[in-house]
Every structure is written in structure tokens, then in C-alpha cells.
Amino acid sequence: MGVSPINYTDYSDESLMDLVVKEDHEAFSVLVTRYTKMFYAAAYRSCGDQDAAEDIVQDAFLKLWNRPGIWDSSRGAKFSTWFYRVVTNQAIDYMRKQKNTKGSDALERISDDKESAQDGMERAEKEGMLEGAIQDLPERQKTALNLCFYEGLSNKDAAGIMGVSVKGLESLLMRAKTGLKDTLKRNGMLDNEDDYKEVSNGRG
Amino acid sequence: MEEDSKKLDAVLGRRSVPEMRSNLEYRIIQAAKAGRQVQKEKGFFAGLNAAIDEFFCGLALPKPAISMSVVLVLAIMTGVYSDNAFVPDLEEANNMAVYMDFEQVAGYGGSYE
């Protein structure tokens, strides 16, 4: 099969999905290229494991390719919002299977950075603590936090993905933040004014 | 309280995502292509297997209870309508009854007067 003469890069996600349903591999490739990084980040934030996050995203895309019928364009949903749900569900399944068997990668990956050993250790410790605190949140609170805070979805979209009302989502977010505040305070992570200044306005 | 929330948002914002370890996009695209290829190659045999399965499913006996009932009914009907050595006709049956009666009387020493 040669390279398709059609340039799909300008197509909307939904138009590409219509082509994927017709087994158009080129359209599928464009979708994969467009979204892999974003959904990898979402999967990583859900499970805290690089390899697992890659597997989750790969499985989700292959599921879409092998069974494109799971996408129902007539519902009028945005592809990215709908696919968040697919990836989030895969990640939740993974976490249920892996519960208590593996920690996060945060400490491990910091050791690769080219900074002084002392700084690296300190940063690794803080990141590990933060990642641990987030991973320890109840599943739904964590998902709400990830979707709204890190993925930047609107409350309405996030509520739709999670199958809860907007009020319910806000309650989950509130509880997640309260729980995190308590945990991080206990570990002294909210006391250091320098940390706060250093990262203010930073995201993701 | 407000200050705490700002600090929390700042700390949360520090959370980072590591780079993907491999060329994930390429892997996914290739895996999808390979998967479809395997499906096509398996297509003929999968179709053949499905046809064979369907044939044998058609031959398979239905539920045992129904099968037994059908066999029983058929056996009774065969018995009723067949004319074989094991089923005496009416005349023969009468003769037999008379004979048996005689035998019975003879056995009791002629109390049949």
C-alpha cells in the first residue's frame, strides 16, 4: 500500500473517525500522531507508570482501530472527550489490577536528570511525595483532578467523561484538593515559600 | 485558606510527565497495520472454520429431554403400526387365552364342571 495522496492533517477528528470506520489506515495514523502524546500524559497521570501508560494508550488506539464501531458519531460527542473516557477507563482497569503491586516512576526517572546529585535527590523526593499523594487519592477524586486540573477540560466535559453531574464533579474536586492539602501539609510541602514562588503559574 | 489553595495549585502544577520512552506513535501505527494484515491472512481459514462449525452445529442433537421424548413417541408409533412376530393378532390372542384357561383348569383337577 503506497502513501495516500490525500492530506488528512487538516481534517477534523470526527471526519477522520468517519474514515477510520471505513478502515482507512492513513486517517487512523493522523489521529494517532495527533493525540498519542496528550493521551500518554493523561494515562501516566492516572497510573503513575511510564510503561503502563504507553501500553494503555496503545491498547486504547488498537481497540479503536479493530472495533471502530465503538465510536458513535451520531451522538455528537467530541472525539477527544470521548477518547479520554476510553483511556481513563483503561487506566482505571489497569490500576485495579495493579493495586498495591507497584509504585510510581517519579523517583526512578529523576535519577536520569543531569543535575547535581543533591538537588536531584531533593527534587525526586518532592516529586515522589506529590505523585504518591495524588496516586493515593480515591480513584474518582484522582480522575476528576487529572481531567480538570491537568488536562484542562471544562467541568462539564469532565463530568460527562466520568458519568457524574457537574455538582458531583465539583464535590470530587473539592475533596481531592482538601485531601491533598492535608497530606502535603503534613509532609511540609506547602510550607516552603520558595517552592511556591519558584513554580507559581506553572502547569503540567 | 486562600493562600493554601494557591500554594496547592502551584505545587500541583509542578507535577511533570516523563517523556515517552519509545516512539509510541510509530509502534501503534505499525501494530494496527500488522493486526489488519494478520486478520486478512487468517480470513480464508477463519471462514472455512466457521462454515465447518456451522455444519456440525446443525447436526448436533437438540436438547436431550426433547430428543428422548421424540424417540419414545416414534418407538410407540412404530410398535402400534408394525406387524411383527412379537405382537400377536386378535385371533391368535384369543386362542392363546383359551389355551391358557384350559391349562389353568387342568392344573386344578377338574373343578370346572
Side-chain angles (χ1 to χ4, degrees), chain A residues 104-112 121 124-128:
Chain A
S104 98
D105 280 352
L107 282 170
E108 191 188 313
R109 77 186 141 90
I110 290 301
S111 61
D112 296 338
M121 285 303 288
E125 196 180 342
K126 281 177 183 166
E127 279 204 25

Side-chain angles (χ1 to χ4, degrees), chain B residues 12-66:
Chain B
L12 288 177
R14 196 189 311 166
R15 190 187 187 200
S16 60
V17 174
E19 284 295 310
M20 291 181 281
R21 280 184 179 138
S22 53
N23 191 349
L24 185 57
E25 292 102 332
Y26 179 77
R27 251 171 45 200
I28 294 171
I29 292 167
Q30 290 306 311
K33 198 180 273 183
R36 195 48 59 90
Q37 194 63 33
V38 168
Q39 272 181 3
K40 274 182 187 164
E41 282 167 11
K42 281 184 176 173
F44 171 73
F45 294 104
L48 191 65
N49 283 340
I52 291 170
D53 285 349
E54 201 172 325
F55 175 73
F56 280 108
C57 278
L59 281 186
L61 280 174
K63 294 175 181 175
I66 297 173

Side-chain angles (χ1 to χ4, degrees), chain A residues 50-51 54 131 150 185, chain B residues 4 12 15 19 21 36:
Chain A
Q50 262 178 287
D51 291 333
E54 290 190 7
E131 195 62 44
Y150 292 106
K185 251 185 179 174
Chain B
D4 272 355
L12 288 177
R15 190 187 187 200
E19 284 295 310
R21 280 184 179 138
R36 195 48 59 90

Side-chain angles (χ1 to χ4, degrees), chain A:
Chain A
M1 193 190 286
V3 177
S4 170
I6 307 165
N7 184 8
Y8 285 145
T9 46
D10 295 336
Y11 279 46
S12 72
D13 301 340
E14 292 72 28
S15 310
L16 289 172
M17 270 315 296
D18 289 342
L19 293 165
V20 170
V21 170
K22 293 171 190 156
E23 302 190 4
D24 189 322
H25 189 262
E26 195 64 27
F28 175 74
S29 304
V30 173
L31 268 182
V32 170
T33 311
R34 198 177 281 177
Y35 282 113
T36 297
K37 203 168 180 186
M38 182 171 128
F39 286 115
Y40 161 76
Y44 177 80
R45 286 182 182 122
S46 290
C47 68
D49 183 312
Q50 262 178 287
D51 291 333
E54 290 190 7
D55 288 347
I56 286 166
V57 176
Q58 179 166 339
D59 288 351
F61 271 117
L62 290 181
K63 187 191 265 186
L64 180 69
W65 175 243
N66 292 322
R67 287 193 291 142
I70 57 176
W71 161 255
D72 185 359
S73 57
S74 64
R75 288 185 186 178
K78 256 176 79 183
F79 169 78
S80 56
T81 308
W82 171 80
F83 202 63
Y84 261 119
R85 183 183 294 183
V86 176
V87 172
T88 304
N89 286 341
Q90 298 255 118
I92 288 171
D93 283 349
Y94 169 82
M95 285 186 291
R96 282 182 184 154
K97 283 178 195 157
Q98 296 291 315
K99 214 165 195 175
N100 302 325
T101 60
K102 211 175 175 185
S104 98
D105 280 352
L107 282 170
E108 191 188 313
R109 77 186 141 90
I110 290 301
S111 61
D112 296 338
D113 289 357
K114 293 184 180 85
E115 56 191 321
S116 78
Q118 181 67 27
D119 290 349
M121 285 303 288
E122 274 176 25
R123 199 159 74 82
E125 196 180 342
K126 281 177 183 166
E127 279 204 25
M129 230 183 268
L130 174 62
E131 195 62 44
I134 293 172
Q135 295 299 336
D136 284 346
L137 284 173
E139 199 174 278
R140 289 161 68 78
Q141 290 180 26
K142 183 168 62 174
T143 306
L145 184 77
N146 283 334
L147 293 176
C148 293
F149 192 86
Y150 292 106
E151 309 306 335
L153 294 179
S154 68
N155 285 6
K156 193 182 165 201
D157 282 348
I161 288 170
M162 293 184 67
V164 295
S165 64
V166 174
K167 289 251 177 222
L169 178 97
E170 284 167 357
S171 161
L172 284 168
L173 270 178
M174 176 94 80
R175 279 184 279 155
K177 286 194 169 183
T178 307
L180 277 176
K181 220 183 283 178
D182 290 346
T183 310
L184 296 179
K185 251 185 179 174
R186 266 202 310 277
N187 294 321
M189 281 185 73
L190 288 189
D191 300 336
N192 193 340
E193 197 68 20
D194 291 339
D195 284 351
Y196 166 57
K197 282 173 185 162
E198 177 188 309
V199 296
S200 60
N201 300 326
R203 261 192 188 196

